[in-house]
Amino acid sequence: MGKNKLKKFADMREYECVLQYPREELLREGFPFSGKWNSEVFNRPNPIVLELGCGRGEYTVGLAKADKNGNHIGVDIKGARMWAGASEVERDKIDNAKFLRCEIENIDHFFAPGEVDRIWITFPDPQMKKARKRLTSTRFLNLYRKILKSGGIINLKTDSPFLYEYTRRLVELNHLPLIVKTDDLYASGQVDRISSIKTYYEQQWLSRGKKIKLISFQLPAEGELLEPREDDIERDDYRAIPRPNISPEFNTVES
């Protein structure tokens, strides 16, 4: 392991905005702040907003800056990536952003039923071969139900035509209340200060002429969820270009 990565891990252990609970520790000791995020972590009674698979934390930081009335939590298992966003939060003393290092599959251990208001899923791997790994699959939606308020909102922002179409079909098949649906966000007239936050990878997709898609819907607390047909959905034929060693500025937010 390189010295730079070791330093990042050391920093993360000291950052007040970071909560780290590997699976072994979680199973052994449990999570002390379930149901107490507002009262004991943020010390402010605002709606809780999660970004799942937050990576470097760019969108989480952008959300916290753009939405001062929300308590924002970036969730990922890769601490070395999360370090970038956490460092910005620490440096700029952003008091409505935290980071939780854990597996998304265990997210229900960290929040009480109904504790979360909204979830953002930004540019995830579309997992075209394995539906169970898709963050908008019925498997994960049933998991989110355990922590979301009834009628809580799921937001998917993606460059992937495959994942967008899969999720659109899932929403339609299960009659989930739709809030926003667009396969070309910036040409739709529906962009706002929140949805216009741009991460490094989103800027890459835009520079390559890819259209950004957004679908937002409510998730009722009850009712069986069915998987949509996907065998006729065209697969994506492109991949991301790896991030350079020197990172660009975080969080481009349009006014």
Side-chain angles (χ1 to χ4, degrees):
M1 185 180 295
K3 291 183 179 180
N4 189 43
K5 185 172 286 189
L6 289 173
K7 181 183 183 304
K8 289 179 179 179
F9 286 142
D11 288 344
M12 293 278 282
R13 287 193 291 271
E14 300 298 323
Y15 285 170
E16 291 185 3
C17 70
V18 176
L19 294 86
Q20 301 190 79
Y21 283 82
R23 183 174 184 274
E24 294 76 13
E25 182 176 345
L26 177 67
L27 294 176
R28 183 176 64 251
E29 302 178 9
F31 183 69
F33 302 116
S34 177
K36 303 175 183 177
W37 278 91
N38 279 344
S39 61
E40 297 190 19
V41 179
F42 286 101
N43 298 309
R44 42 189 281 169
N46 289 343
I48 292 179
V49 183
L50 306 186
E51 185 199 0
L52 301 180
C54 70
R56 292 169 61 89
E58 295 160 283
Y59 213 85
T60 297
V61 175
L63 284 169
K65 290 179 177 179
D67 176 22
K68 301 293 187 181
N69 294 318
N71 290 337
H72 300 275
I73 305 168
V75 180
D76 210 306
I77 191 58
K78 296 184 178 179
R81 290 185 185 176
M82 192 185 292
W83 174 89
S87 295
E88 186 172 355
V89 169
E90 292 285 316
R91 184 188 69 234
D92 295 345
K93 296 180 171 56
I94 301 172
D95 63 0
N96 65 331
K98 304 291 182 183
F99 289 92
L100 173 63
R101 188 181 174 203
C102 73
E103 293 94 348
I104 295 173
E105 291 84 348
N106 293 322
I107 196 69
D108 56 318
H109 293 276
F110 294 91
F111 298 90
E115 190 171 15
V116 175
D117 291 79
R118 299 188 299 278
I119 290 175
W120 276 91
I121 304 168
T122 55
F123 302 95
D125 185 331
Q127 298 289 350
M128 291 182 284
K129 294 182 179 180
K130 295 183 179 180
R132 281 181 55 80
K133 291 189 175 183
R134 286 178 211 143
L135 294 185
T136 57
S137 68
T138 57
R139 174 198 176 199
F140 278 98
L141 292 185
N142 281 318
L143 180 62
Y144 306 153
R145 278 177 158 175
K146 296 180 179 181
I147 60 174
L148 269 177
K149 289 180 168 59
S150 181
I153 297 172
I154 306 289
N155 305 283
L156 170 68
K157 193 177 184 186
T158 181
D159 60 283
S160 168
F162 172 85
L163 184 60
Y164 173 79
E165 177 60 15
Y166 164 82
T167 305
R168 186 198 67 77
R169 292 186 184 190
L170 187 149
V171 168
E172 183 177 277
L173 175 65
N174 292 286
H175 306 288
L176 303 179
L178 185 65
I179 300 170
V180 175
K181 179 187 70 174
T182 174
D183 63 358
D184 190 353
L185 176 62
Y186 297 107
S188 70
Q190 300 183 77
V191 69
D192 58 21
R193 185 168 174 80
I194 300 297
S195 61
S196 68
I197 299 168
K198 296 183 180 71
T199 65
Y200 168 82
Y201 281 108
E202 179 173 351
Q203 293 178 64
Q204 178 189 131
W205 300 132
L206 290 169
S207 71
R208 294 168 66 181
K210 304 300 181 184
K211 294 179 180 179
I212 305 304
K213 300 127 184 28
L214 176 67
I215 185 165
S216 301
F217 57 94
Q218 291 181 294
L219 185 62
E222 299 179 351
E224 181 183 6
L225 295 174
L226 304 175
E227 282 287 333
R229 178 184 176 186
E230 64 173 78
D231 58 337
D232 61 337
I233 303 177
E234 185 176 351
R235 267 44 181 175
D236 302 337
D237 61 357
Y238 62 93
R239 294 190 180 189
I241 299 171
R243 181 188 291 267
N245 291 329
I246 300 175
S247 299
E249 288 295 318
F250 269 5
N251 306 312
T252 301
V253 181
E254 294 182 357
S255 59

